[in-house]
Amino acid sequence: MAIIDKPSDYFETILYTGNGSSQNIGGLDFQPDWVWIKSRSLTKDHDLYDSVRGADKPLESNTSVAEQDAGGQGLTSFRSDGFAIGNRSTINSNSATQVSWNWLAGGTGSSNTDGSISSTVSANTTSGFSIVSYTGNGSSGSTIGHGLNAVPEVVLIRRRNQSTDWNFQLGYSQYLKLNSTDQAIATSGGLVGSGSTSTITVDANAYVNASGDTYIAYCFAGKKGFSKFGSYTGNGSTDGTFVYTGFKPAFLIVRNADATADWVMNDNKRNTFNPNSNMLFANTSGDENTGTARSDFLSNGFKIRSSNSDWNGNGNKMLYMAFAENPFVTSTGIPTTAR
């Protein structure tokens, strides 16, 4: 398997300050296809945009609210090195500090007929990320093409046209709600019942496949040197578990699957040195939580530094999604994970 030498070609975090009007946000090495924005200094909902649904159509990770039309005030366009925004208060309140997590997929998408339900797919097979739009048919066992040429390890689905919880699956035996603290719900095969290198399988549940309703799915397959998805067992100690990823994380999401818990989000731009203490939560509108050590980002993984049950419940299954920062380059020009 080829190793991604420059992760920032596919994922990068941007920090910016709102101006209450409109502005262009830049600094990326790519034109993003999925942009997730959260105010750090204000209590505001998360805003998620993607190139398949189109600009100015936010979804909120922390609510069940249906897709909105931001009326020219949201993310108004995807640009070659970032994006343009209007004066929507969630993403551009005057003087508010903001964070944006950005992924590259494959542009606006193209038709995919691999499954029994046709889809529109924007896929990047190098980085293992795709955005999938489809209309449900209400039939259990339906399949949907995802374009990754690999089995997705994480599938995140949201009904667009009606208020519904987010469906998050890491594996295919249980699901979680991204907008909720509810513990994992075991199902017979899961709401996304199985995955192949070309399709995912859905049942007739309204979260993923109600007849005539529109959906968006974000699919991930781990790639060496760029992303890793999995679980670890918490020990309830400040000397917590070390999790090997093979790279130094740039962005980390952790969730306790066995208990009611928040979705913890850390990155290397809001936390420039260890231990990580600046947290946001995918399921809440709260501003940035600071002051307490949570984890260390290390050259080949991360280590938990807190006994808090949200990311270190004793004996609990802790799910994680990790994306890499660019490796350190030696004086000979050879990339290395060492620091």
Side-chain angles (χ1 to χ4, degrees):
M1 179 188 298
I3 298 176
I4 293 177
D5 292 328
K6 189 182 176 189
S8 65
D9 283 343
Y10 306 95
F11 169 83
E12 186 70 41
T13 301
I14 293 177
L15 304 182
Y16 67 94
T17 300
N19 66 6
S21 179
S22 62
Q23 60 175 317
N24 296 331
I25 307 301
L28 299 176
D29 291 329
F30 58 90
Q31 179 169 313
D33 293 301
W34 189 30
V35 178
W36 183 334
I37 304 174
K38 177 67 179 80
S39 177
R40 302 172 60 193
S41 56
L42 299 177
T43 298
K44 296 289 183 180
D45 294 322
H46 296 246
D47 266 16
L48 283 68
Y49 301 86
D50 65 71
S51 61
V52 174
R53 294 182 297 116
D56 216 32
K57 298 177 181 178
L59 288 166
E60 299 170 349
S61 69
N62 59 298
T63 77
S64 61
V65 174
E67 180 182 278
Q68 303 169 53
D69 180 346
Q73 298 177 342
L75 185 153
T76 54
S77 66
F78 300 92
R79 296 168 55 85
S80 61
D81 68 342
F83 50 89
I85 53 176
N87 64 352
R88 182 172 165 88
S89 66
T90 49
I91 62 175
N92 200 21
S93 288
N94 190 36
S95 300
T97 55
Q98 305 279 155
V99 60
S100 169
W101 303 289
N102 310 273
W103 287 262
L104 175 69
T108 57
S110 57
S111 176
N112 183 300
T113 58
D114 288 340
S116 58
I117 296 176
S118 295
S119 57
T120 299
V121 175
S122 173
N124 192 305
T125 57
T126 301
S127 64
F129 172 57
S130 69
I131 305 169
V132 180
S133 175
Y134 65 95
T135 299
N137 65 7
S139 177
S140 290
S142 295
T143 55
I144 302 161
H146 55 67
L148 289 180
N149 294 330
V151 178
E153 296 171 66
V154 173
V155 180
L156 178 60
I157 300 179
R158 180 63 166 80
R159 182 160 58 166
R160 300 168 55 187
N161 61 313
Q162 296 193 49
S163 294
T164 312
D165 293 323
W166 288 80
N167 175 64
F168 174 95
Q169 294 202 204
L170 199 165
Y172 296 96
S173 62
Q174 57 186 3
Y175 73 96
L176 287 151
K177 301 173 183 178
L178 184 66
N179 56 298
S180 170
T181 60
D182 292 352
Q183 70 184 74
I185 302 167
T187 63
S188 178
L191 295 184
V192 182
S194 60
S196 74
T197 57
S198 59
T199 64
I200 54 173
T201 301
V202 294
D203 68 14
N205 191 289
Y207 288 157
V208 296
N209 190 24
S211 180
D213 283 345
T214 53
Y215 294 87
I216 196 75
Y218 305 107
C219 303
F220 299 87
K223 295 295 180 178
K224 191 172 184 179
F226 175 69
S227 61
K228 191 169 177 60
F229 316 109
S231 65
Y232 61 92
T233 301
N235 65 7
S237 168
T238 55
D239 183 15
T241 303
F242 167 73
V243 180
Y244 176 81
T245 61
F247 53 77
K248 186 172 186 178
F251 181 46
L252 178 67
I253 300 178
V254 171
R255 176 61 153 84
N256 188 334
D258 291 338
T260 57
D262 289 315
W263 295 77
V264 183
M265 310 174 82
N266 287 117
D267 62 68
N268 65 344
K269 296 297 179 65
R270 293 180 299 120
N271 297 275
T272 57
F273 53 86
N274 290 322
N276 296 316
S277 60
N278 298 337
M279 288 191 309
L280 290 165
F281 304 104
N283 58 292
T284 79
S285 62
D287 59 354
E288 190 169 76
N289 187 310
T290 64
T292 302
R294 275 89 183 189
S295 64
D296 287 344
F297 285 175
L298 305 175
S299 63
N300 58 352
F302 61 93
K303 182 172 175 61
I304 303 302
R305 295 294 189 185
S306 168
S307 60
N308 188 291
S309 62
D310 280 359
W311 50 89
N312 197 18
N314 189 25
N316 291 163
K317 180 180 181 180
M318 316 299 300
L319 305 180
Y320 72 89
M321 299 176 66
F323 297 89
E325 72 168 38
N326 287 343
F328 176 72
V329 179
T330 68
S331 58
T332 60
I334 300 173
T336 176
T337 57
R339 283 193 180 268

